[in-house]
Amino acid sequence: MSTYEGQWVAVSQTRIAIIVGRFNQEITGSLLTGALETLTRLGVSQEAIDVIWVPGAFEIPGTARRLMPRYDALITLGAVIRGETPHFDYVAGAVATGVAELARLGEKPVIFGVLTCNTTEEAAARAGGKAGNKGSDAAITAIEMLSLYQKL
Ligand code: INI
């Protein structure tokens, strides 16, 4: 029996794109800070990372698709927060489906770090508050999946 598992150690010569939505920027900026701090802690150099800002979460999948050939891993960050209309459901559904479509191609790690929350408080708790930082979690997942894909 063989067992494969990725490690939380950066592989050299890899390029990582972080695609981040500007909508709810006070939240997404904190997700980005968490992701960058964690990538640095795991040994990724600043030169290996590009940050691409898009207007909102809806723009993330198309941008990720466009960038995919040029990077070894993509981290998507956004914050979709429920409002009074069904708009939330369309934006959250579209970004989740779009990112999942790219991820399931299995070509490169495509990491879903988009918060979908009922309130700003819920989102803040997950962007460096008491529930951690999902941007940081997304960065760890990217490194683990890069390492795993190299082995498979
Ligand atoms: N975009 C977000 O990233 N988060 C939201 O909560 C949000 N809401 O609630 O409207 C949002 N809307 C903008 C959307 O992502 C697109 O930028 C816009 O529809 C233009 O395509």
Side-chain angles (χ1 to χ4, degrees):
M1 183 181 83
S2 302
T3 302
Y4 299 92
E5 193 171 7
Q7 287 164 325
W8 292 6
V9 178
V11 179
S12 60
Q13 307 275 328
T14 51
R15 291 187 55 71
I16 297 176
I18 304 178
I19 303 151
V20 53
R22 208 182 306 115
F23 207 100
N24 295 316
Q25 192 167 2
E26 63 288 0
I27 303 290
T28 62
S30 298
L31 295 175
L32 177 61
T33 300
L36 291 172
E37 283 176 1
T38 298
L39 289 175
T40 302
R41 184 163 50 81
L42 296 178
V44 180
S45 70
Q46 295 290 301
E47 297 73 44
I49 305 168
D50 287 335
V51 176
I52 299 95
W53 286 94
V54 296
F58 190 83
E59 282 68 42
I60 289 174
T63 309
R65 175 72 193 89
R66 190 176 177 84
L67 293 174
M68 213 158 150
R70 284 183 261 155
Y71 292 90
D72 300 295
L74 302 173
I75 297 172
T76 65
L77 302 176
V80 193
I81 300 175
R82 193 180 289 283
E84 289 173 358
T85 71
H87 191 67
F88 166 94
D89 299 298
Y90 290 101
V91 176
V95 64
T97 304
V99 173
E101 269 173 19
L102 298 179
R104 75 161 179 248
L105 294 174
E107 264 177 49
K108 315 234 165 118
V110 182
I111 311 304
F112 189 62
V114 178
L115 297 176
T116 54
C117 296
N118 293 309
T119 63
T120 305
E121 291 69 35
E122 274 183 14
R126 289 157 180 78
K130 59 179 186 283
N133 188 315
K134 299 300 172 192
S136 171
D137 294 350
I140 291 171
T141 305
I143 296 304
E144 178 172 339
M145 291 304 293
L146 268 169
S147 163
L148 179 65
Y149 275 19
Q150 283 219 331
K151 296 178 183 182
L152 297 179

